[in-house]
Amino acid sequence: AEYMGADPVMFCSARSLFKRVLPRLRAQAAVAIVSGNTSRAFHSTRTQMPYFSRLGLGCALVSLPVAFAYQSRAYSEGGATREIDAGHVDDLKDGEMKEIVVGDPKDKQSFLLVRVAGEYYAIGSKCTHYGAPLVNGLLAGDEVHCPWHDAGFNVRTGDSVLAPALDGLPKYPLKKTADGRLLVTVPSELPKVGTRRMARRDPQNQRVFVIVGGGAAAVTAAETLRADGFTGRIVMVTQENALPYDRTALSKNMGVPVEKIGLRDQQFFDSHDIEVMKDVRVTEVDTKGKKVTLANGQQLAYDTVLLATGATPRPPTVPGSKLKGIYTLRTPADSANIKSSTATAKKVVVIGTSFIGMESAACIKKAGGANVEVVVVGDQDTPFQHVLGSEIGSALQRFFEDNGVTIRTSRSLKHFEGTDKVTAVVLDNGERIEADAVVVGIGVVPNTSVIKGLSLERDGSVPVDMFLKAGANVYAAGDIARYPYWLSGNSVRIEHWNVAQQHGRVAAHNMAGKPSTYNSVPFFWSMFFGKGLRYAGHGAGYDELHIEGDLKQLKFIAYYLKNNTVVAAASMQSDPACTVIAEAMKTGMMPTGEELKSGRENIETIKKRVKANSVASCGRSGGCCGGGQH
């Protein structure tokens, strides 16, 4: 009914008709109607129901796919529906939300009821990224944010507006009765994700957008272009032999099959006319001649290009680095090789005490238990020191050691020993550590050697403006992009998964002619031995650290201060603290370092301030942000 320009009430009539007809249809006819195969349905049904005139049945069958298109957009699936009493209009105040359980609690089906600026909305209750309960998150304006990883969703539309979520939330019809009850119509099986309108390729549109890369920024950009209405040709070129996947899982779940961490399947790309060229190496991007050259000699002429080539693990350069059994981690194949090699190993050495190294060490030790000795070597005084500081690094070092991991700090690698395969690691102080396998995690290098016609930074990164534009008809996103950080004005390159995704979204908006700036607060997460860590902001160059909570129990919030201003925060077992702090930083609601250190301010007062500001902003004339780009 919506697509026909009529009132959605027409949909209800069509649905009622379908429910009356359904008992008389054969199963395959019903399936055909739902899928829109009217000719098959007509053929299957006419012999079963001779009392239906061809004209009447034909009209019904032509109408039903339209009705189901509307239902699909509203619920993400067809099927029977039921009406749920979600309470009274006065049960919630503005800025409040409540999870409503549907049916048997054992089925774990529920939706989220939200009140914003006097209006109610019913949306999915679980984050579409990793399934976090959104009721435990943050309602900021007309956006609800995930308590784990700060994914954001517009409550009015269900659309995903902030990484790392790709999918939006399902949205359910809601009506108010005369006596103030809220009735929500839901399908028998509640969908996990919502749907959104996306354009298809129009042969009349000859413009070509090429995306070089196949990671977080690339896939997000590709589908954002279609969601923004771009109908030209989209070509994604990646040297990996897999469709885009969740790279963050590789060091936290070693050896996980790529099929289990895929972000989109081939059917998705086909249905939205997005070409994906897998296992294809780009040899040159000529930004002046506007063409991309492939290893097979083929050239792709483009109107606009997005450079999202990612980074390559920095390899060790000491003697013996070419021996077998020494691994870096970037791809599913790398992760599988490490799992296979360490599964039977008695001694494993990990080089690097930052996140990739420490996550890998935790994963290997957890899998091998007492059967494997894991030694981590790093040149810092404590693990994670560069990002989290020595105080938190020391606490996490004790935690790792309590879980059976040996850590050598303030040591550097001298050389590897072995003939064909590595047998030992030798440190700068002469210490020799036997090793059946070695994992190296000492940083990454931007993949930009193929880019021609742009001036690169000393580290190989691509300088971009606030629109992620690197030059005429050239955009860059993800690990390779050095951009102006809107909170400090400094030029930064941040290697976070959700930064790459949001980069892709912003770049695509601009490519599609919808001006958008990147002004998100960076956010990342880590996991080791069942404990999660969250981090919001960019703390490079901080000069003071204030800790709220119990560091010994790893239940804390750490505020990183620079000139008395909070520039970043880290937390463990304190969700949704970093989600709240990210919003407070974005809206200018963070207290000063002195206020935090004095005890006058803490996470609870910050949360109250953010909530009050959110309600006030949505109550003003014009409403709130309305799902605008972060």
Side-chain angles (χ1 to χ4, degrees):
E2 178 181 305
Y3 290 106
M4 294 171 65
D7 191 283
V9 171
M10 287 183 61
F11 157 69
C12 298
S13 300
R15 180 160 57 97
S16 299
L17 171 63
F18 180 71
K19 289 172 70 175
R20 293 198 300 271
V21 172
L22 182 60
R24 299 174 185 258
L25 297 178
R26 293 194 305 173
Q28 64 265 36
V31 171
I33 289 176
V34 174
S35 66
N37 190 339
T38 55
S39 60
R40 176 186 164 204
F42 186 87
H43 176 75
S44 302
T45 313
R46 62 193 293 265
T47 55
Q48 299 284 316
M49 305 170 65
Y51 48 86
F52 265 88
S53 71
R54 292 191 183 186
L55 179 60
L57 180 58
C59 290
L61 293 175
V62 168
S63 318
L64 285 169
V66 176
F68 272 88
Y70 181 84
Q71 187 180 33
S72 175
R73 206 170 84 82
Y75 306 140
S76 296
E77 63 175 72
T81 62
R82 47 184 163 167
E83 207 164 55
I84 305 298
D85 187 332
H88 192 270
V89 291
D90 295 329
D91 288 349
L92 297 181
K93 298 177 182 178
D94 276 349
E96 292 184 342
M97 53 186 176
K98 178 182 180 181
E99 185 172 6
I100 306 294
V101 176
V102 177
D104 191 334
K106 295 179 181 179
D107 295 335
K108 298 181 178 180
Q109 292 202 91
S110 62
F111 61 85
L112 194 67
L113 186 67
V114 183
R115 177 168 168 166
V116 173
E119 295 295 329
Y120 277 94
Y121 304 93
I123 55 177
S125 64
K126 299 292 190 295
C127 178
T128 60
H129 179 227
Y130 278 179
L134 293 175
V135 71
N136 296 334
L138 174 71
L139 181 59
D142 58 1
E143 293 176 9
V144 59
H145 289 251
C146 170
W148 295 352
H149 307 133
D150 198 34
F153 306 90
N154 184 292
V155 300
R156 303 177 192 274
T157 64
D159 290 342
S160 167
V161 295
L162 188 63
L166 277 176
D167 288 304
L169 298 170
K171 183 174 180 293
Y172 306 110
L174 181 151
K175 66 180 180 181
K176 301 174 188 177
T177 64
D179 58 351
R181 304 303 296 179
L182 299 170
L183 302 181
V184 179
T185 302
V186 299
S188 57
E189 292 292 327
L190 272 64
K192 294 181 179 180
V193 301
T195 59
R196 60 177 175 175
R197 287 181 178 176
M198 294 176 68
R200 296 289 301 269
R201 173 80 189 282
D202 180 357
Q204 300 301 315
N205 188 338
Q206 296 299 306
R207 289 197 297 167
V208 177
F209 286 177
V210 174
I211 301 171
V212 183
V219 65
T220 307
E223 58 181 87
T224 300
L225 285 170
R226 287 292 187 236
D228 281 352
F230 178 67
T231 59
R233 185 185 179 196
I234 300 175
V235 185
M236 185 192 306
V237 185
T238 173
Q239 63 182 1
E240 298 208 42
N241 60 6
L243 292 171
Y245 55 86
D246 183 355
R247 197 182 304 277
T248 67
L250 298 181
S251 56
K252 300 175 181 68
N253 186 10
M254 203 72 74
V256 59
V258 68
E259 297 81 13
K260 291 188 177 182
I261 57 174
L263 298 175
R264 296 298 190 209
D265 57 20
Q266 188 61 52
Q267 183 180 1
F268 174 88
F269 293 108
D270 291 343
S271 63
H272 299 297
D273 296 324
I274 299 170
E275 302 173 43
V276 182
M277 302 177 70
K278 296 185 298 181
D279 205 16
V280 175
R281 186 169 59 88
V282 171
T283 58
E284 183 179 87
V285 179
D286 180 359
T287 61
K288 301 299 183 184
K290 299 174 65 173
K291 59 185 177 182
V292 175
T293 303
L294 311 181
N296 61 6
Q298 180 184 353
Q299 289 189 332
L300 295 173
Y302 65 78
D303 292 280
T304 303
V305 66
L306 172 63
L307 305 173
T309 49
T312 298
R314 191 184 303 278
T317 56
V318 301
S321 296
K322 300 299 182 182
L323 291 170
K324 294 178 181 177
I326 301 174
Y327 304 94
T328 57
L329 176 59
R330 184 68 179 179
T331 68
D334 295 334
S335 184
N337 288 336
I338 293 172
K339 180 179 181 180
S340 175
S341 179
T342 58
T344 57
K346 299 298 182 182
K347 299 176 183 293
V348 177
V349 175
V350 177
I351 308 297
T353 52
S354 195
F355 288 93
I356 293 296
M358 297 303 286
E359 287 178 0
S360 298
C363 195
I364 293 168
K365 183 61 180 178
K366 188 174 181 179
N371 296 321
V372 60
E373 178 183 347
V374 179
V375 180
V376 183
V377 178
D379 60 4
Q380 300 176 45
D381 294 337
T382 69
F384 308 106
Q385 183 178 353
H386 180 66
V387 177
L388 301 179
S390 58
E391 194 171 354
I392 295 175
S394 295
L396 288 172
Q397 180 172 340
R398 291 190 293 270
F399 176 62
F400 270 76
E401 290 172 342
D402 289 344
N403 280 276
V405 176
T406 301
I407 299 177
R408 298 281 192 272
T409 57
S410 302
R411 294 269 68 91
S412 60
L413 179 63
K414 185 176 181 181
H415 65 264
F416 296 106
E417 288 185 355
T419 51
D420 178 54
K421 184 179 181 295
V422 67
T423 57
V425 172
V426 180
L427 306 184
D428 59 340
N429 63 349
E431 181 182 3
R432 182 179 181 276
I433 306 174
E434 293 184 357
D436 300 313
V438 176
V439 179
V440 179
I442 53 175
V444 297
V445 180
N447 288 329
T448 55
S449 61
V450 301
I451 300 172
K452 308 301 179 185
L454 293 179
S455 296
L456 304 181
E457 299 288 345
R458 292 181 62 183
D459 63 354
S461 60
V462 179
V464 298
D465 61 17
M466 67 179 68
F467 302 98
L468 299 177
K469 193 170 186 177
N473 303 300
V474 181
Y475 293 82
D479 290 353
I480 69 170
R482 180 170 291 278
Y483 62 97
Y485 183 38
W486 67 282
L487 277 175
S488 67
N490 296 330
S491 176
V492 299
R493 185 175 73 85
I494 299 178
E495 300 160 1
H496 297 348
W497 181 257
N498 92 321
V499 169
Q501 269 192 272
Q502 202 66 6
H503 273 186
R505 181 172 284 155
V506 171
H509 286 321
N510 290 307
M511 293 166 70
K514 297 186 175 182
S516 178
T517 59
Y518 179 79
N519 58 349
S520 295
V521 174
F523 197 104
F524 78 86
W525 61 95
S526 189
M527 178 71 71
F528 14 77
F529 298 112
K531 300 284 188 184
L533 179 140
R534 326 291 186 205
Y535 186 99
H538 184 59
Y542 74 93
D543 52 37
E544 195 173 358
L545 177 65
H546 170 67
I547 295 177
E548 175 185 322
D550 191 338
L551 191 56
K552 290 183 179 179
Q553 297 298 319
L554 296 183
K555 187 173 184 179
F556 66 86
I557 303 165
Y559 301 89
Y560 296 85
L561 312 176
K562 187 174 183 178
N563 299 327
N564 200 36
T565 299
V566 177
V567 293
S571 70
M572 294 185 72
Q573 302 186 79
S574 303
D575 293 335
C578 277
T579 294
V580 171
I581 291 169
E583 180 66 19
M585 293 173 70
K586 188 186 72 166
T587 55
M589 294 288 108
M590 279 301 293
T592 65
E594 288 300 325
E595 289 172 327
L596 287 165
K597 290 186 293 181
S598 69
R600 298 195 304 272
E601 292 279 354
N602 55 40
I603 189 61
E604 292 304 321
T605 61
I606 297 170
K607 189 182 301 182
K608 289 179 181 178
R609 188 181 299 108
V610 168
K611 182 176 178 180
N613 178 69
S614 170
V615 173
S617 65
C618 272
R620 298 187 194 112
S621 176
C624 44
C625 61
Q629 179 60 45
H630 284 265

